[in-house]
């Protein structure tokens, strides 16, 4: 099938950059260690911060490192290629092909994510587990739920990155919007500060934003803090954002298509 | 019914220009202006015109990637902007300036992706790929990533890519741009063969008039968005006030030759250049010269099509719009 072929192609393409992958893993590990010691210090002061114990916190830290590239928290992946093709005008060729435009890029990004999960995801997690005492999913349901949650996290992130990249249809360059989006993403995904640590009502707010689907939801499933109905509602939350954001993408792309076809780019 | 029908086709673009520091002024560019023509199945049509004449814009509308501002358009019975997806299965496009291949993929994988995109059945795909590999000499290139291909190699890959799904029509927008003489020759040969063997209708734009001379029985000239000529290449010669040149080598240097029906353009020692109308016979001129002068040698040079085209492009308005 075309979309599988696209995903495989993306996977293979990323797998040719071995040096970059190794360097990236090393960086993730260095940051993992630094943040781990920070968390240890925080949880020594307050052993029950955010309802996490120190093991939960350390697990969170390493899983977050594992998610950076997999979920493309900083941006990047397939939508970056799209933005480049918009700038050069090559996107007209893509729009002209008899395939689903959004599906095309999503397949490609899922292939990329699979590669990053197996390398930039697995390796830091393994290193973290060697260096620190981490928690692992307590049940098969948690393992399965986590994997599904990661896939959904990638799709939510994809949709946001796609919206950012689409801005290039009007602005010609996505750079400014992308930087802004990266700041939002870093902060609201809980990459640095777990969302459970946000005080009072701010916590309730950040928990319903789409970025909480990136790290917080998958990690809570991994830790066994979401089981049964709570696990399902976590996944449903992600699915909900997937639907909303992909619909928004489709809408924006339709307008973009009109702009290219009717206004001539 | 003609395969391609274009009736009163127009396309305008609104361009915003900065005037002064803050003010922007909308300006309307008429890229294609009330264009009408038809192309029949099996034709090979050359579409020429100066830079910015509207050639690419026309091709974009014919493929459906640009919506016309006004006019009617039918390609293989399909309205391109309405049923673009349906149309993409019946036409092929090659943009000399862009590639439809994937930079990071070996040529073979690009073809494989296109097979899936156009849902070409495997047997047909294999047959076509084998044929194009042979005709375009792609054998040694199939496993090379596109980014490592030279321009000429990439262009051959793009041609194969555009034809894998057996389109009825192939549009080529400057297919020979940047190619060397040998590559151009091969490419033309290939185009001729798909036109005769596969009955593919071709519409190509180019700035290389040799493409037209060697391939197209029909040529359309567009300038400022309007058709200024549509007919045979021979007719185009007649259209411009084009001349042929008789080069005479006399035995001795002499005064300018004086014969009826020809004017001396240049004298260089014993050699003289005489021009006479392209549509007049050379025989009486040659006979008159030979009768009155001691001639060592004679040669005739055909009119330069580029001159003719240049005249039309820059010609007076009555020539342009008559
Ligand atoms: N997307 C666009 N927006 C605004 N103006 C455009 C656009 N595309 C084309 N034009 C204008 O329309 C006119 C025709 O352009 P077109 O690209 O069709 O010319 P062309 O005949 O292909 O020229 P060339 O030989 O240089 O390729 C030009 O004046 C060009 O500036
Ligand atoms: Mg052009």
């Amino acid at each position: 099938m075309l979309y599988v072929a696209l995903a495989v192609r993306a996977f293979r393409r990323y797998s040719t950059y071995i040096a970059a992958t190794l360097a990236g893993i090393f960086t993730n590990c260095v940051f993992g260690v630094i943040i781990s010691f920070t968390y240890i210090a925080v949880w020594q002061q307050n052993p029950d911060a955010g309802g996490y114990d120190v093991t939960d916190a350390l697990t969170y830290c390493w899983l977050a490192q594992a998610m950076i590239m997999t979920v493309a928290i900083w941006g990047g992946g397939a939508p970056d290629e799209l933005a480049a093709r918009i700038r050069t005008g090559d996107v007209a060729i893509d729009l002209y092909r008899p395939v689903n435009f959004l599906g095309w890029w999503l397949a490609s990004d899922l292939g990329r994510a699979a590669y990053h999960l197996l390398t930039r995801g697995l390796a830091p997690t393994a290193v973290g587990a060697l260096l620190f005492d981490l928690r692992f999913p307590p049940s098969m349901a948690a393992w399965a739920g986590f994997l599904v949650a990661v896939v959904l996290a990638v799709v939510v992130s994809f949709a946001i990155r796609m919206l950012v990249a689409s801005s290039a249809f009007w602005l010609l360059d996505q750079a400014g919007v992308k930087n802004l989006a990266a700041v939002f993403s870093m902060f609201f995904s809980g990459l640095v500060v777990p969302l459970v640590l946000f005080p009072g009502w701010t916590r309730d707010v950040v928990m319903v934003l789409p970025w909480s689907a990136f790290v917080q939801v998958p990690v809570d499933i991994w830790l066994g803090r979401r089981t049964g109905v709570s696990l399902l509602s976590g996944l449903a939350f992600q699915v909900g954002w997937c639907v909303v954001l992909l619909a928004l993408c489709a809408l924006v792309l339709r307008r973009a298509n009109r702009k290219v076809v009717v206004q001539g780019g | 019914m003609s395969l391609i029908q274009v009736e009163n086709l127009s396309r305008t673009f609104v361009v915003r220009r900065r005037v002064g520091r803050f003010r922007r002024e909308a300006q309307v560019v008429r890229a294609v202006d009330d264009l009408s023509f038809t192309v029949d199945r099996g034709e090979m049509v050359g579409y020429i015109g100066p830079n910015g004449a509207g050639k690419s814009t026309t091709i974009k509308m014919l493929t459906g990637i640009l919506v016309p501002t006004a006019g009617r358009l039918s390609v293989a019975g399909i309205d391109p902007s309405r049923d673009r997806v349906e149309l993409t299965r019946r036409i092929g496009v090659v943009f000399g300036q862009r590639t439809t291949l994937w930079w990071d993929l070996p040529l073979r994988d690009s073809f494989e992706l296109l097979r899936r995109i156009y849902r070409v059945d495997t047997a047909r795909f294999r047959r076509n790929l084998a044929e194009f590999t042979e005709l375009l000499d792609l054998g040694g290139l199939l496993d090379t990533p596109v980014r490592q291909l030279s321009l000429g190699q990439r262009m051959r890959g793009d041609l194969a890519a555009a034809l894998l799904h057996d389109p009825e029509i192939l549009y080529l927008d400057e297919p020979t741009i940047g190619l060397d003489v040998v590559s151009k020759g091969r490419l033309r040969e290939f185009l001729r063969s798909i036109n005769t063997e596969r009955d593919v209708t071709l519409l190509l734009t180019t700035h290389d008039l040799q493409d037209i001379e060697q391939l197209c029985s029909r040529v359309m000239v567009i300038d400022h968005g309007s058709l200024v000529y549509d007919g045979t290449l021979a007719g185009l010669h007649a259209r411009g006030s084009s001349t042929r040149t008789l080069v005479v080598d006399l035995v001795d240097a002499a005064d300018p030759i004086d014969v009826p029906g020809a004017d001396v353009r240049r004298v260089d020692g014993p050699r003289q250049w005489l021009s006479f109308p392209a549509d007049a016979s050379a025989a009486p001129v040659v006979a008159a010269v030979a009768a009155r002068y001691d001639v060592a040698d004679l040669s005739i040079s055909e009119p330069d099509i580029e001159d003719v085209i240049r005249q039309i492009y820059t010609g007076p308005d009555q020539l342009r719009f008559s």
Side-chain angles (χ1 to χ4, degrees):
Chain A
M1 205 193 128
L2 173 65
Y3 297 100
V4 176
L6 284 169
V8 170
R9 168 200 163 217
F11 186 99
R12 274 213 221 113
R13 188 154 46 99
Y14 276 90
S15 64
T16 54
Y17 306 121
I18 294 172
T21 303
L22 292 176
I25 290 171
F26 180 73
T27 313
N28 290 144
C29 292
V30 170
F31 275 94
V33 169
I34 294 170
I35 297 171
S36 286
F37 283 116
T38 317
Y39 282 4
I40 288 171
V42 171
W43 265 266
Q44 245 162 17
Q45 293 293 312
N46 183 355
D48 190 31
Y52 278 13
D53 63 21
V54 71
T55 310
D56 288 333
L58 289 175
T59 307
Y60 185 102
C61 154
W62 287 92
L63 287 180
Q65 290 299 314
M67 300 291 218
I68 290 179
M69 287 307 282
T70 310
V71 181
I73 294 175
W74 298 107
D80 265 14
E81 290 167 50
L82 168 64
R85 291 184 69 82
I86 296 171
R87 203 174 43 223
T88 58
D90 285 342
V91 72
I93 290 172
D94 302 336
L95 288 169
Y96 161 79
R97 295 198 158 113
V99 290
N100 182 297
F101 191 81
L102 202 52
W104 172 283
W105 292 103
L106 178 59
S108 178
D109 200 56
L110 286 174
R112 172 209 61 79
Y115 173 75
H116 279 149
L117 179 66
L118 294 177
T119 53
R120 307 280 303 264
L122 274 185
T125 311
V127 170
L130 284 175
L131 297 178
F132 298 90
D133 180 25
L134 302 187
R135 189 155 282 152
F136 280 85
S139 65
M140 278 314 288
W143 274 111
F146 174 75
L147 278 179
V148 175
V150 170
V151 175
L152 291 170
V154 174
V155 179
V156 174
S157 151
F158 164 80
I160 294 175
R161 284 175 287 138
M162 201 67 179
L163 288 171
V164 171
S166 299
S167 71
F169 276 111
W170 290 271
L171 306 174
L172 276 183
D173 191 70
Q174 66 156 352
V177 183
K178 188 182 164 186
N179 287 341
L180 191 69
V183 172
F184 270 72
S185 180
M186 182 182 72
F187 202 62
F188 292 128
S189 67
L191 180 61
V192 187
V193 182
L195 299 185
V196 288
L197 292 191
F198 277 54
W201 63 268
T202 56
R203 173 178 163 155
D204 299 333
V205 171
V206 293
M207 282 297 200
V208 297
L209 295 179
W211 294 281
S212 75
F214 287 16
V215 180
Q216 191 65 56
V217 172
V219 171
D220 279 342
I221 294 174
W222 170 291
L223 291 173
R225 301 174 66 85
R226 275 181 181 274
T227 54
V229 175
S230 163
L231 191 158
L232 290 177
S233 74
L235 297 181
F237 167 78
Q238 289 181 302
V239 170
W241 272 118
C242 284
V243 171
V244 170
L245 290 168
L246 286 176
L248 205 58
C249 282
L251 201 78
V252 169
L253 285 174
R254 222 182 36 232
R255 298 206 67 143
N257 187 36
R258 245 218 341 255
K259 180 173 188 302
V260 171
V261 170
V262 178
Q263 288 169 30
Chain B
M1 202 184 85
S2 297
L3 191 58
I4 302 175
Q5 288 183 301
V6 175
E7 268 174 52
N8 307 106
L9 184 70
S10 294
R11 172 70 217 207
T12 53
F13 293 106
V14 179
V15 217
R16 278 172 212 295
R17 265 190 337 167
R18 271 179 69 165
V19 279
R21 190 178 290 229
F22 299 111
R23 239 158 46 82
R24 284 169 139 239
E25 198 177 66
Q27 197 187 21
V28 176
V29 179
R30 300 185 152 277
V32 168
D33 195 4
D34 200 22
L35 193 66
S36 300
F37 63 85
T38 60
V39 176
D40 287 321
R41 191 174 293 276
E43 276 196 281
M44 250 204 271
V45 181
Y47 193 39
I48 60 175
N51 290 132
K55 303 181 296 292
S56 298
T57 305
T58 311
I59 298 233
K60 282 181 190 161
M61 287 191 283
L62 288 171
T63 53
I65 53 181
L66 198 62
V67 177
T69 312
R72 274 176 22 87
L73 200 64
S74 151
V75 178
I78 296 170
D79 178 346
S81 54
R82 186 135 353 120
D83 284 318
R84 190 174 69 183
V85 174
E86 170 65 23
L87 186 67
T88 56
R89 298 183 192 286
R90 318 237 337 233
I91 62 172
V93 199
V94 173
F95 296 104
Q97 322 257 29
R98 293 189 195 288
T99 181
T100 49
L101 304 166
W102 288 269
W103 286 108
D104 55 304
L105 290 186
L107 212 42
R108 189 193 300 280
D109 293 8
S110 275
F111 293 156
E112 190 59 36
L113 267 188
L114 288 166
R115 177 179 78 76
R116 290 166 202 268
I117 291 174
Y118 289 99
R119 305 209 183 104
V120 185
D121 75 66
T122 322
R124 197 158 58 114
F125 173 76
R126 289 229 186 88
R127 210 171 48 237
N128 282 349
L129 185 57
E131 187 180 331
F132 297 143
T133 304
E134 161 91 41
L135 281 173
L136 290 165
D137 198 15
L138 292 171
L141 306 173
L142 285 177
D143 294 305
T144 315
V146 173
R147 75 180 120 79
Q148 290 173 15
L149 296 179
S150 77
L151 184 62
Q153 294 168 338
R154 199 218 76 205
M155 181 52 71
R156 282 185 272 151
D158 258 305
L159 263 177
L163 290 163
L164 281 173
H165 59 291
D166 286 322
E168 296 159 52
I169 304 171
L170 182 63
Y171 302 117
L172 302 127
D173 196 357
E174 303 192 35
T176 52
I177 192 167
L179 302 193
D180 68 33
V181 183
V182 179
S183 304
K184 279 184 184 175
R186 265 209 235 128
L187 191 132
R188 288 174 195 142
E189 207 172 299
F190 176 76
L191 293 180
R192 207 172 2 235
S193 101
I194 58 158
N195 176 253
T196 51
E197 307 292 320
R198 296 177 160 250
D199 201 27
V200 178
T201 306
L202 271 91
L203 180 68
L204 73 120
T205 81
T206 183
H207 288 292
D208 184 345
L209 292 165
Q210 284 206 328
D211 290 344
I212 309 285
E213 283 184 314
Q214 297 187 8
L215 284 176
C216 306
S217 48
R218 176 177 166 199
V219 53
M220 297 194 292
V221 184
I222 183 178
D223 195 8
H224 293 103
S226 312
L227 219 49
V228 292
Y229 179 80
D230 183 355
T232 60
L233 201 59
L236 190 57
H237 281 297
R239 175 62 170 281
S241 47
S242 75
T243 56
R244 290 196 280 174
T245 306
L246 178 67
V247 184
V248 183
D249 284 321
L250 299 172
V251 176
D252 299 304
D255 289 338
I257 293 172
D258 179 26
V259 290
D263 303 312
V264 174
R265 281 286 139 87
R266 212 179 130 200
V267 178
D268 182 11
R271 177 171 288 192
Q272 302 199 8
W273 283 261
L274 281 72
S275 73
F276 59 99
D279 50 354
S281 168
V285 181
V286 173
V289 172
R292 291 185 213 174
Y293 298 87
D294 265 346
V295 177
D297 196 10
L298 280 172
S299 69
I300 296 174
S301 65
E302 289 302 311
D304 189 0
I305 182 75
E306 306 228 10
D307 279 341
V308 179
I309 302 284
R310 205 170 299 124
Q311 281 176 27
I312 291 191
Y313 288 174
T314 56
D317 278 2
Q318 42 294 27
L319 182 65
R320 193 182 283 156
F321 293 112
S322 61

